[in-house]
Amino acid sequence: MIEPRAEPAEPSLLRQAWTVPNLLSLLRLAGVPVFLWLLLGPKADGWALALLVFSGLSDWLDGKLARWLDQTSRLGQLLDPAADRLYIVATLIAFLVRGIVPWWLVAVLIGRELLVGVALLVLRRHGYAPPEVTYIGKAATFVLMYAFPFLLLTQGASTAAEVARPIAYAFTAWGTVLYVWSGALYLLQTFWAVRRARAAARM
């Protein structure tokens, strides 16, 4: 459910940043360019894989810590999905350049991101806050973050690559379907929110 934008009193962004969950999110964001360089520069797949695994674990951990430590904040609600999206887009671009994934898969997933980005701008224009992350959206991100390390392991002709290949393809297919589905739900919520706003303006 999308609600009209509210502006509650909150600590400054700098103070919000100095919490354990938000520091983890900032660390994940800082790792994006390093991850891209590892994949496209020296092609140090082992280190890139370790960084990707750390990103997935920290994504799960920062949400848990925010609830356990009662450190949920508006900044954290923005940083967490931003870090997820940046890792997904960066990984897709790097994998496309390396020939690990086909262009159409990248087009579908990045196209979903662009449409959701436009929807957020439309909501903001009509005075609505961004919709809360849905369970389906979180599950989709979780599955894709599992798929990417396995896709990286498929490179080469080793036994590990052979074992990883069906797992990677299964996670990728499942994650893609969930990711597109969650994007469609965001667009549907945006449509109904804008329709409500226009109906209220005519009254």
Side-chain angles (χ1 to χ4, degrees), residues 73-83 130:
S73 66
R74 182 60 186 156
L75 179 62
Q77 292 170 351
L78 295 173
L79 284 177
D80 189 45

Side-chain angles (χ1 to χ4, degrees), residues 164-176:
R165 196 163 285 120
I167 301 172
Y169 294 162
F171 271 111
T172 302
W174 184 25
T176 299

Side-chain angles (χ1 to χ4, degrees), residues 66-88:
R67 290 186 290 273
W68 288 344
L69 302 175
D70 193 24
Q71 292 183 340
T72 302
S73 66
R74 182 60 186 156
L75 179 62
Q77 292 170 351
L78 295 173
L79 284 177
D80 189 45
D84 290 342
R85 289 189 171 99
L86 276 176
Y87 261 105
I88 287 173

Side-chain angles (χ1 to χ4, degrees), residues 135-200:
Y135 175 78
I136 294 173
K138 198 67 179 173
T141 301
F142 183 77
V143 173
L144 284 176
M145 293 300 282
Y146 262 85
F148 292 154
F150 280 107
L151 284 170
L152 200 52
L153 285 173
T154 62
Q155 302 308 291
S158 65
T159 302
E162 291 298 322
V163 172
R165 196 163 285 120
I167 301 172
Y169 294 162
F171 271 111
T172 302
W174 184 25
T176 299
V177 170
L178 288 175
Y179 210 61
V180 172
W181 184 14
S182 67
L185 291 177
Y186 286 135
L187 293 178
L188 188 60
Q189 289 181 70
T190 301
F191 171 78
W192 287 113
V194 171
R195 189 171 179 177
R196 280 201 310 272
R198 288 178 176 173

